[in-house]
């Protein structure tokens, strides 16, 4: 199975480590950082994919570090990921430096026992220690459920203690295709509003964009300073920005999926992400990357609730009137986020109008739409509607549960 075919969870646990084992783990942390940096130094400016970096840097790691075979492989993969992220920043990309006291483990280098102990590979003997968890803690649901198996994890060292971000995974069940009478939640992505649903729920992107702009200015200043202290400050600021962005996107994704559940939707439809560059003139590389992450988070959460997530052709969804179908570029006032149909006078927020059109596009079949998924209705705040205008208000629905 590929990574997308698994549900994944992380349980953060403190480790009870004996004094001798404490030093072994510290040595492992130091050697891991050194190994990752060697791999970056070898591959920087040459390649960035996992396979390429592994082929190029594996032998130097085995010769110049005390890392075992599997950890040498993992270090090359970690270096590849860091190089790829750096290159995505554009022309101002700088070679990554590994200073964070962490080590990546996988099923070959980590063993989880039924008694709550764990065994970790080091540069010498393996270390066996106890997971410290309160009784009835959230971590227990993964440890005690046979459906969850240990997966890639990360050891963290901070303030004299070791924490293990213990990864778990379980196969993602196949989601049944929706029935003919099922309902779609349309989602429009944008700059001012990160996401808007066809049920008129708005998720602002203002704070995330503001934080990113502040971080970009700080990054430019610190890179110009280019001292060891400036680089350390930049790494910390980058981590804070990443944590903030991830939390914001998880909140938005949770809100979208909750909206689908509340309105009985079996499908969540987005416009194709590859089309954002053409349909959203103000979207930057940051926005496009954010849209991709948000889609992944929504798909991840929706799959657990048997909700299908699809992408449809977004062409003209921002220009088409949902009332009369008239399509024209001047229907949309981009500067003021308004939509006003030149033909029938229908007025709405432009992102909301686009979200409804995305839902309709998911239902329709035609030269500008993706293959239909069998749904019939698009969810609105007041009820649900077909592309032909057949409307069923909420009060007439027996239930708003998913069909």
């Amino acid at each position: 199975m590929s990574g997308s075919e698994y549900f994944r969870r992380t349980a953060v646990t403190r480790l009870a480590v004996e004094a001798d084992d404490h030093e072994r783990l510290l040595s492992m942390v130091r050697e891991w950082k050194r190994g990752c940096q060697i791999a970056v130094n070898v591959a920087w400016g040459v390649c960035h994919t996992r396979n390429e970096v592994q082929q190029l840097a594996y032998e130097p790691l085995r010769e110049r570090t005390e890392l075992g075979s599997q950890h040498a492989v993992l270090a090359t993969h970690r270096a590849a990921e860091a190089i790829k992220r750096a290159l995505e920043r554009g022309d101002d990309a700088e070679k990554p430096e590994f200073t964070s006291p962490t080590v990546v483990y996988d099923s070959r280098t980590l063993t989880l026992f039924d008694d709550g102990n764990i065994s970790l590979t080091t540069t010498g003997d393996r270390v066996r220690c106890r997971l410290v968890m309160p009784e009835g803690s959230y971590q227990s649901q993964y440890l005690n459920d046979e459906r969850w198996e240990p997966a890639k994890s990360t050891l963290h060292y901070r303030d004299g203690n070791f924490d293990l971000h213990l990864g778990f995974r379980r196969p993602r069940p196949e989601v049944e295709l929706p029935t003919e009478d099922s309902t779609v939640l349309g989602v429009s992505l944008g700059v001012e509003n990160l996401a808007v649903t066809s049920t008129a729920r708005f998720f602002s992107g203002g704070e995330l964009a503001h934080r990113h702009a502040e971080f970009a200015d700080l990054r430019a200043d610190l890179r110009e300073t280019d001292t060891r202290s400036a680089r350390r400050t930049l790494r910390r600021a980058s981590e804070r920005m990443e944590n903030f962005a991830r939390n914001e996107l998880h909140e938005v994704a949770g809100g979208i999926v909750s909206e689908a559940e509340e309105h009985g939707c079996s499908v969540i439809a987005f416009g194709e992400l590859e089309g954002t560059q053409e349909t959203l003139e103000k979207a930057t590389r940051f926005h496009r990357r954010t849209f991709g992450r948000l889609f992944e988070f929504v798909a991840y959460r929706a799959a657990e609730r048997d909700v299908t997530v699809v992408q449809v052709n977004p062409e003209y969804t921002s220009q088409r009137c949902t009332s009369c179908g008239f399509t024209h570029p001047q229907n949309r006032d981009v500067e003021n986020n308004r939509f006003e149909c030149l033909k029938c006078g229908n007025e709405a927020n432009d992102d909301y109008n686009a979200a409804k059109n995305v839902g309709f596009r998911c239902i329709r079949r035609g030269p500008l739409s993706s293959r239909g998924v069998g749904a019939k209705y698009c969810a609105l705040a007041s009820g649900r509607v077909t592309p032909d205008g057949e409307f069923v208000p909420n009060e007439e629905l027996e239930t708003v549960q998913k069909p």
Side-chain angles (χ1 to χ4, degrees):
M1 281 189 176
S2 66
S4 61
E5 293 177 312
Y6 287 97
F7 292 132
R8 296 185 182 274
R9 292 292 184 271
T10 300
V12 180
T13 61
R14 177 63 51 85
L15 297 182
V17 182
E18 300 293 336
D20 291 344
D21 292 335
H22 189 278
E23 184 53 40
R24 291 193 183 95
L25 290 178
L26 272 182
S27 296
M28 182 63 189
V29 168
R30 290 191 291 266
E31 202 67 358
W32 167 263
K33 290 192 296 183
R34 197 166 73 87
C36 290
Q37 193 62 56
I38 290 173
V40 165
N41 293 344
V42 170
W44 183 252
V46 180
C47 57
H48 66 275
T49 68
R50 284 188 172 190
N51 288 339
E52 290 173 332
V53 177
Q54 180 177 332
Q55 291 179 9
L56 189 65
Y58 176 80
E59 289 300 332
L61 259 67
R62 295 290 285 147
E63 294 173 358
R64 297 164 57 184
T65 75
E66 297 181 14
L67 294 176
S69 174
Q70 185 60 17
H71 261 124
V73 171
L74 293 174
T76 63
H77 292 177
R78 181 68 183 87
E81 294 166 3
I83 294 173
K84 183 178 180 180
R85 284 199 301 270
L87 295 177
E88 287 175 350
R89 300 190 184 104
D91 296 335
D92 60 346
E94 292 188 358
K95 185 171 68 175
E97 294 185 18
F98 283 86
T99 60
S100 179
T102 62
V103 183
V104 173
Y105 282 86
D106 65 1
S107 59
R108 296 185 181 183
T109 54
L110 174 154
T111 304
L112 180 62
F113 299 98
D114 293 337
D115 61 1
N117 287 333
I118 195 161
S119 174
L120 301 171
T121 297
T122 70
T123 55
D125 295 333
R126 271 188 169 242
V127 166
R128 180 162 176 161
C129 47
R130 180 172 53 86
L131 300 174
V132 180
M133 296 180 296
E135 186 174 350
S137 63
Y138 82 94
Q139 297 96 331
S140 303
Q141 63 182 303
Y142 307 117
L143 290 166
N144 300 330
D145 190 336
E146 293 182 355
R147 295 177 301 172
W148 292 98
E149 62 181 22
K152 187 169 289 186
S153 306
T154 310
L155 180 70
H156 293 252
Y157 180 72
R158 177 177 293 179
D159 299 330
N161 294 307
F162 286 100
D163 292 330
L164 185 64
H165 292 212
L166 187 56
F168 290 92
R169 72 178 188 180
R170 68 180 176 90
R172 186 192 301 271
E174 292 187 6
V175 177
E176 295 183 5
L177 291 176
T179 63
E180 292 184 358
D181 290 330
S182 57
T183 303
V184 175
L185 180 74
V187 180
S188 172
L189 301 175
V191 176
E192 295 295 328
N193 295 302
L194 179 59
V196 178
T197 69
S198 58
T199 54
R201 185 166 180 184
F202 289 71
F203 299 91
S204 174
E207 182 63 20
L208 183 58
H210 175 70
R211 291 284 191 97
H212 179 263
E214 287 187 335
F215 170 71
D217 290 341
L218 175 63
R219 181 176 60 194
D221 291 341
L222 292 174
R223 284 181 172 174
E224 185 175 350
T225 304
D226 196 30
T227 63
R228 177 174 295 182
S229 175
R231 290 192 292 271
R232 183 167 57 248
T233 300
L234 178 57
R235 285 191 294 271
R236 292 173 179 171
S238 179
E239 290 176 0
R240 287 195 298 270
M241 181 63 211
E242 169 60 22
N243 290 336
F244 177 79
R246 184 173 57 250
N247 291 338
E248 284 284 297
L249 293 178
H250 271 301
E251 284 193 18
V252 174
I256 291 173
V257 175
S258 295
E259 198 74 3
E261 289 189 301
E262 181 180 343
H263 291 271
C265 299
S266 298
V267 184
I268 299 174
F270 288 78
E272 289 176 351
L273 301 185
E274 292 182 359
T276 56
Q277 186 169 1
E278 291 73 26
T279 58
L280 295 173
E281 296 179 358
K282 292 183 179 180
T284 64
R285 179 183 297 176
F286 163 73
H287 290 104
R288 291 190 287 273
R289 186 167 61 246
T290 298
F291 296 154
R293 295 183 68 186
L294 177 60
F295 179 84
E296 291 177 0
F297 289 173
V298 171
Y300 170 81
R301 289 172 175 264
E304 293 185 317
R305 295 161 175 79
D306 295 332
V307 175
T308 303
V309 181
V310 299
Q311 296 183 33
V312 301
N313 188 332
E315 192 171 5
Y316 305 126
T317 52
S318 63
Q319 302 175 12
R320 180 186 181 276
C321 176
T322 55
S323 293
C324 71
F326 179 70
T327 304
H328 196 282
Q330 293 182 12
N331 282 347
R332 186 185 188 196
D333 182 355
V334 177
E335 293 299 324
N336 296 307
N337 290 113
R338 296 301 300 168
F339 180 94
E340 182 176 358
C341 180
L342 297 177
K343 183 177 181 179
C344 72
N346 172 47
E347 295 186 49
N349 174 277
D350 62 343
D351 291 326
Y352 174 54
N353 180 78
K356 289 192 288 184
N357 276 322
V358 167
F360 291 155
R361 182 65 55 79
C362 181
I363 298 168
R364 285 192 177 95
R365 296 173 184 264
L368 296 179
S369 66
S370 68
R371 184 177 182 275
V373 294
K376 179 178 180 181
Y377 295 99
C378 176
L380 305 179
S382 54
R384 59 190 189 188
V385 64
T386 68
D388 297 326
E390 178 189 343
F391 178 71
V392 183
N394 284 333
E395 54 267 24
E396 293 185 13
L397 297 175
E398 293 182 3
T399 177
V400 292
Q401 298 297 318
K402 186 169 59 179

